[in-house]
Amino acid sequence: MKEKINWKEELLASQRFNKKEKNLLKNGAKSIAQSWWLGALYVRWKKLKGLHLKDPVPNKGQLQSSFKEFERKT
């Protein structure tokens, strides 16, 4: 079973933050702008842990298809 990681607590313990960032990490986002900021903090945590290197990057060929191919399948 996977261990549940509290990334917010880990990030708070590892770095210094301003008052707004501490509040955001402790209490969560209350607006869309705060959710974007929290997402940026999550990306910062992933970079610190080296997890951003493990993100799967799809091959370009997997994302592209032609309309003719679509018509042929349907």
Side-chain angles (χ1 to χ4, degrees), residues 20-58:
K20 286 183 180 183
E21 288 174 331
K22 281 183 184 178
N23 185 35
L24 189 58
L25 287 168
K26 289 180 182 179
N27 300 319
K30 306 291 185 230
S31 69
I32 190 149
Q34 287 181 343
S35 67
W36 294 332
W37 196 352
L38 193 59
L41 291 172
Y42 178 68
V43 170
R44 186 190 302 179
W45 173 78
K46 283 178 63 173
K47 285 183 179 181
L48 286 171
K49 300 294 272 185
L51 299 174
H52 69 291
L53 301 173
K54 297 178 185 176
D55 286 344
V57 177

Side-chain angles (χ1 to χ4, degrees), residues 5-18 21-23 25-26 41 44-45 48-49:
I5 299 171
N6 190 345
W7 67 271
K8 293 176 186 178
E9 292 296 326
E10 277 190 21
L11 192 59
L12 274 171
S14 68
Q15 291 187 338
R16 296 181 66 186
F17 296 97
N18 63 35
E21 288 174 331
K22 281 183 184 178
N23 185 35
L25 287 168
K26 289 180 182 179
L41 291 172
R44 186 190 302 179
W45 173 78
L48 286 171
K49 300 294 272 185

